[in-house]
Amino acid sequence: RLEQALGHFPDPVVPVVAPPVYRVQTPFLEPIFSEEHVLVAATRLLEMLQKQLAEGDAGVRVLSLLLFRVDSGVQSLKLGLAVPSRDPAHIARLIALRLSRLNDGLSADFGFEAAAVHVLVAEPLAGRQVALAMDGDRPSEDGLTSLVDRLQQRLGAGSVYQLHDCESFVPERTEVPGPVNFKASGPGSLYPEKIVNRPSGVRPLLL
């Protein structure tokens, strides 16, 4: 305890209320083998998961699709999203892109007897109104985030990046590449707060 009081040893913070756990699982009456059947099962699981997320006003940032084989093996697919989402159709499209990118395909062997979806990282996502326009011609605000998600699943993790502000005296180094982050950031300066000394006052002289 003395080392914790002096700051030499970390003092873990235990939350009073345990964070919610979002996961769904379903068995199959008969083993499935094809990617199409896996995608149908994943879509149904995502629809079940959507209800849990909506009750907690949460969205998925990272999830894992687990496929349980008949021979007790497990194949997992990890998926990351640019922004929190609980849209089953959008996440199912990302799973389809990820399945198509598997080098060796699905290792079904004797088939999959069950499937599960576990949310590894969840973030707050309050309900919002999609649109007020009656003609339906207004573009969706989620178009860019959806595009980034599709590119990441098609090209691989780290293939899409964003330039972030960085304090530097050199103008060419005021931006550095990093992961895509659509969270609104507050106003800030690209340069250090103090570059030169405060200028002295100037008083006009009459000649």
Side-chain angles (χ1 to χ4, degrees), residues 8-9 14 16 25 31 57 74 86-87 111 129 169-170 188 196 199 205:
H8 301 308
F9 189 78
V14 180
V16 178
Q25 183 172 341
D57 288 335
V74 180
R86 54 174 177 260
D87 182 7
Q129 189 165 349
F169 295 103
V170 183
V196 296
L205 297 177

Side-chain angles (χ1 to χ4, degrees), residues 14 37 66 95 112 184 190 194 199:
V14 180
H37 291 164
L66 303 175
I95 293 177
F112 300 109
L190 296 179
K194 185 177 181 181

Side-chain angles (χ1 to χ4, degrees), residues 40-55:
V40 171
T43 303
R44 293 177 180 176
L45 289 173
L46 292 172
E47 292 173 352
M48 298 166 55
L49 185 66
Q50 182 187 25
K51 300 177 181 179
Q52 298 182 13
L53 294 170
E55 293 176 356

